[in-house]
Amino acid sequence: MKSTLIIYSTTDGQTLEICKKIFSKLNVSESSNIIHISKAEGLDLNQFDKIIIGASIRYGKHKPELYEFIKKNVACLEAKENAFFSVNVVARKPEKNTPETNPYMQKFLELSPWSPKKLAVFAGKIDYPKYKFIDKHMIRLIMWITNGPTDVKNTYEFTDWNGVDEFSKQLNT
């Protein structure tokens, strides 16, 4: 079994849930772990055979610390079995739910010095009741513009869990 590290960057928790699902499907050793990107800074990445990074989008961008982490650790990441997945609500649309067609994945690949060996895109979740006032109404406006759900009393989960399972299978090979 391989020692696997899953690093995540999340805004509202859906990326962590996807990481947990992936982790549960992997053949991993006892030294494997899931960790927030802020806690990965001091970690010796060389102790892991495989590194998977999952990151969410908010207002059209991955968080700056994602790029900072990758820049600092690109040589190590490149030397390992590795994968990257992006979580964004744009991926709820069939024409934007693959690494090749998702604009945020394409932007990531442009901006990042890392070339992940395996890629995936998953649709996230809109949890209006959980959001603060500004986020709630900004996200609602974005959803209105993009023909998404706008009822702020509801939560909308778009994650394709079967797709997460399929990606997990690819990571086991």
Side-chain angles (χ1 to χ4, degrees):
M1 285 190 221
K2 298 197 179 206
S3 178
T4 302
L5 178 65
I6 300 180
I7 300 168
Y8 68 93
S9 171
T10 190
T11 303
D12 297 311
Q14 191 69 358
T15 304
L16 175 57
E17 293 307 311
I18 293 168
C19 289
K20 288 177 182 176
K21 178 74 166 179
I22 290 170
F23 193 82
S24 75
K25 299 288 183 176
L26 295 179
N27 299 321
V28 297
S29 70
E30 285 184 22
S31 61
S32 298
N33 205 354
I34 301 172
I35 191 166
H36 188 272
I37 197 162
S38 65
K39 303 245 194 279
E41 285 300 322
L43 212 54
D44 177 11
L45 300 180
N46 290 310
Q47 66 182 309
F48 298 96
D49 301 307
K50 184 185 296 186
I51 300 173
I52 302 161
I53 299 177
S56 65
I57 292 290
R58 178 57 64 93
Y59 301 130
K61 296 180 181 180
H62 289 102
K63 293 182 178 180
E65 56 262 27
L66 171 68
Y67 295 105
E68 291 165 19
F69 178 84
I70 290 169
K71 188 176 178 182
K72 287 179 191 170
N73 296 287
V74 68
C76 184
L77 291 170
E78 293 282 353
K80 306 281 180 188
E81 287 184 50
N82 67 64
F84 174 76
F85 66 91
S86 180
V87 179
N88 56 80
V89 178
V90 167
R92 76 188 187 282
K93 297 182 175 189
E95 69 275 12
K96 294 185 180 180
N97 70 0
T98 68
E100 298 77 25
T101 62
N102 186 271
Y104 300 120
M105 178 61 82
Q106 292 304 305
K107 188 175 180 182
F108 169 81
L109 293 171
E110 268 179 45
L111 296 175
S112 175
W114 176 38
S115 298
K117 293 175 181 155
K118 295 184 180 176
L119 297 169
V121 175
F122 302 114
K125 175 172 139 178
I126 296 173
D127 193 354
Y128 285 117
K130 184 177 173 183
Y131 300 147
K132 294 179 181 171
F133 182 84
I134 296 291
D135 286 333
K136 182 180 297 194
H137 293 288
M138 288 297 295
I139 292 168
R140 183 179 189 207
L141 174 63
I142 293 165
M143 286 299 102
W144 180 77
I145 291 168
T146 63
N147 297 315
T150 57
D151 184 346
V152 295
K153 294 180 193 123
N154 291 320
T155 298
Y156 304 90
E157 185 169 339
F158 300 105
T159 306
D160 174 3
W161 293 105
N162 291 328
V164 174
D165 286 346
E166 285 301 312
F167 183 60
S168 302
K169 286 179 191 172
Q170 292 175 25
L171 295 173
N172 269 327
T173 60

